[in-house]
Amino acid sequence: MARVTNQFVCKTCATVHRKWSGKCDSCGEWNTIAEESDDIIVPKGVSKAGGKPVAFTSLDGAPEERPRRMTGLAEFDRVCGGGLVTGSALLVGGDPGIGKSTLLLQAAAMLACAGVSVAYISGEEAVDQIRLRASRLKLANTPVNLASATNIRDILATLDKVGGAEVAIIDSIQTMYADNLDSAPGTVAQVRTCAQELIRVAKRRGVTIILVGHVTKEGAIAGPRVLEHMVDTVLYFEGERANQFRLLRAVKNRFGATDEIGVFEMTDAGLTEVENPSGLFISGHNDTTSGSAVFAGIEGTRPLLVEIQALVAPAPAGSPRRAVVGWDSSRLAMIIAVLQTRCSMTLGSHDVYLNVAGGLRVGEPAADLAVAAALVSAHLERPLPPRTVVFGEIGLGGEIRSVGQADARLREAEKLGFKCALTPPLSTGRQQSRKRAITSLKITEVQKLREVFDGFETTPQRGDMVSA
Ligand code: TYD
Ligand code: MG
């Protein structure tokens, strides 16, 4: 083992460099290299002397069923894949003030009330502050074991024993420090070491460890990427501070699906679960406004209707602005290019603003057609036909591609009182029969983006596009 002095470590990939540079050669990221003390020990290489051969086994055999603990917060349990797995490690990331500590305190209280031994260890807030929050949440009487600590040695001594906690919440991993390292809390070496030790205890003692992680300005969990590889589950808690809705999203889960979301509402009495969120993000939708389209989306296993708003305004000379909230900006650039090339709708001298209402972030390509419809509607200043939902993916040739779960999207739209749907061709026999089963929706299948555009252009009156 050789010790390296004066080392520079990349915060993203944890690669050690001998000198500082603006760009990390290993991961290609800019401004991620920082000087750290010589805590990271670089191994020289390992020989096989003294090693024992590993015993192999076959692929078949009954898997060991890992017991799970339900927190009682149904949305949280669902995102975790059906409760907390014993002996696993979870990482919960999110912007400051979004409600991570509130969510985990509520989960801790519910677990404690169900007789689980829960430790809530905070390195960010003093005991009094947490008590204040608990009394505001009316959880002050729950048997949660509360502590304010940052030294990982003390925390390990508390958890790594028989009768230690069954669930431990560490708020946050960036405030913890190992006293045998010289570097400050939050550095790559500290975060990695503390997480490694905690995960080791989780596996050995069957404790469920929940780590809170800060996020960087770019929205990724701060600290080395290896942190995300080390844990079993990574959840992001997101939403806009100004908006009361919060989404819990699984981005990695070794024990469940990763496309699941949980929806919460932040009230003055803490977070409350939203059990049926499908109509939540269209509450402000107005049928008579141009530039607004309702997208019938799927988040995880559930359909979710979302309003997509576009504004097209003449730009002052120079380069026009494109601003996007809640959607991918390169995808918007693509849709604008397709509209321009395939439908001759030029937006080169216009500013374009796109907003997904309610603070939601849409990742599905199925939203393409809804975005295009909102843009065309904004450009022509004509609203879409009333009570219409839209979904479909757009190809570079201007063709509309079919997307998964069309029947679930249509069924949900029908349930929420929609009358029309603009969809890709529902050509397969299965989808056709389901389409017939959905009788009350008037479905317009479009094959080319041009048809959507022409539908608007030839509309003699507001709202006649789909009925043509
Ligand atoms: P917090 O859980 O401290 O966020 P994080 O741990 O992610 O930094 O949440 C703080 C915010 O939540 C704060 O802006 C106030 C708000 N809040 C409520 O609106 N209602 C409540 O009952 C509580 C406890 C917090
Ligand atoms: Mg907090």
Side-chain angles (χ1 to χ4, degrees):
M1 297 284 215
R3 279 190 165 262
V4 179
T5 48
N6 280 345
Q7 61 187 7
F8 296 86
V9 184
C10 172
K11 283 189 203 136
T12 305
C13 65
T15 303
V16 179
H17 300 267
R18 295 226 168 237
K19 61 182 195 321
W20 188 88
S21 70
K23 185 181 177 189
C24 174
D25 299 335
S26 177
C27 64
E29 295 284 328
W30 287 88
N31 285 332
T32 55
I33 297 177
E35 186 168 8
E36 282 202 14
S37 59
D38 58 350
D39 289 326
I40 294 181
I41 294 162
V42 182
K44 263 185 164 173
V46 181
S47 83
K48 66 179 184 213
K52 284 192 279 274
V54 174
F56 289 110
T57 176
S58 68
L59 284 174
D60 68 337
E64 190 192 338
E65 197 49 50
R66 296 258 207 145
R68 287 179 182 262
R69 276 190 200 98
M70 293 298 187
T71 62
L73 271 175
E75 293 289 292
F76 184 69
D77 289 338
R78 210 163 38 78
V79 176
C80 294
L84 299 172
V85 177
T86 52
S88 74
L90 264 96
L91 179 62
V92 180
D95 287 328
I98 207 72
K100 301 179 293 296
S101 305
T102 308
L103 175 73
L104 293 175
L105 188 62
Q106 286 183 237
M110 293 187 81
L111 279 166
C113 287
V116 179
S117 144
V118 187
Y120 186 101
I121 300 167
S122 178
E124 303 207 327
E125 290 161 299
V127 165
D128 280 345
Q129 276 173 295
I130 301 164
R131 281 190 182 145
L132 207 65
R133 175 180 297 138
S135 80
R136 204 164 131 197
L137 298 171
K138 303 199 170 49
L139 300 173
N141 297 325
T142 52
V144 174
N145 297 312
L146 174 65
S148 176
T150 51
N151 189 337
I152 202 74
R153 202 186 286 271
D154 301 341
I155 295 169
L156 293 174
T158 316
L159 300 178
D160 196 3
K161 63 178 186 208
V162 180
E166 291 170 287
V167 175
I169 295 163
I170 310 291
D171 189 0
S172 65
I173 187 68
Q174 278 87 4
T175 53
M176 300 297 146
Y177 76 98
D179 54 14
N180 55 332
L181 305 186
D182 288 336
S183 41
T187 52
V188 172
Q190 285 285 6
V191 168
R192 194 159 62 171
T193 309
C194 293
Q196 219 157 31
E197 292 304 322
L198 286 165
I199 292 166
R200 208 167 288 158
V201 174
K203 307 278 171 221
R204 190 163 52 223
R205 298 282 175 194
V207 185
T208 306
I209 300 264
I210 304 178
L211 306 173
V212 174
H214 288 176
V215 294
T216 60
K217 272 207 289 300
E218 293 77 36
I221 290 178
R225 260 279 130 80
V226 283
L227 190 55
E228 292 191 30
H229 296 300
M230 279 155 71
V231 297
D232 300 302
T233 305
V234 179
L235 308 179
Y236 271 93
F237 202 42
E238 48 189 45
E240 276 179 47
R241 293 273 287 275
N243 197 297
Q244 76 271 36
F245 298 115
R246 301 282 183 269
L247 296 160
L248 188 67
R249 198 186 285 276
V251 293
K252 165 184 172 177
N253 196 348
R254 288 193 183 138
F255 305 109
T258 51
D259 50 3
E260 211 46 87
I261 64 162
V263 184
F264 295 88
E265 187 177 354
M266 180 64 95
T267 66
D268 53 3
L271 290 157
T272 52
E273 298 173 64
V274 181
E275 275 162 33
N276 194 1
S278 63
L280 209 63
F281 297 95
I282 51 167
S283 53
H285 173 63
N286 185 341
D287 272 338
T288 57
T289 315
S290 62
S292 161
V294 175
F295 165 52
I298 299 277
E299 284 289 348
T301 50
R302 294 186 299 186
L304 192 69
L305 271 62
V306 196
E307 183 187 356
I308 294 185
Q309 303 170 329
L311 184 70
V312 175
S319 58
R321 282 197 65 158
R322 271 90 180 91
V324 194
V325 178
W327 209 51
D328 184 16
S329 54
S330 52
R331 197 97 198 158
L332 174 67
M334 189 198 93
I335 305 279
I336 292 176
V338 174
L339 278 169
Q340 185 162 342
T341 318
R342 309 289 169 191
C343 309
S344 314
M345 181 176 123
T346 44
L347 293 170
S349 57
H350 288 81
D351 290 339
V352 175
Y353 300 90
L354 191 83
N355 177 38
V356 176
L360 192 75
R361 220 197 128 70
V362 176
E364 269 193 293
D368 290 354
L369 189 57
V371 170
L375 285 171
V376 175
S377 162
H379 186 59
L380 301 177
E381 293 181 39
R382 292 185 195 198
L384 263 87
R387 313 304 297 156
T388 302
V389 291
V390 187
F391 64 88
E393 186 180 339
I394 297 177
L396 289 181
E399 77 279 13
I400 312 296
R401 300 200 184 155
S402 44
V403 295
Q405 306 192 53
D407 48 335
R409 297 173 201 265
L410 293 171
R411 231 179 295 120
E412 194 64 27
E414 188 187 22
K415 208 167 86 189
L416 291 174
F418 282 82
K419 299 287 176 232
C420 313
L422 199 58
T423 72
L426 305 173
S427 52
T428 64
R430 215 178 84 215
Q431 281 178 330
Q432 280 291 350
S433 65
R434 291 207 178 144
K435 183 181 132 192
R436 276 195 295 275
I438 300 164
T439 47
S440 79
L441 276 185
K442 185 177 190 126
I443 295 171
T444 306
E445 296 171 44
V446 281
Q447 306 212 343
K448 290 274 177 193
L449 190 54
R450 179 92 235 170
E451 295 167 41
V452 179
F453 196 79
D454 292 346
F456 273 105
E457 292 243 289
T458 55
T459 307
Q461 279 178 337
R462 293 185 159 199
D464 275 0
M465 185 185 75
V466 170
S467 55

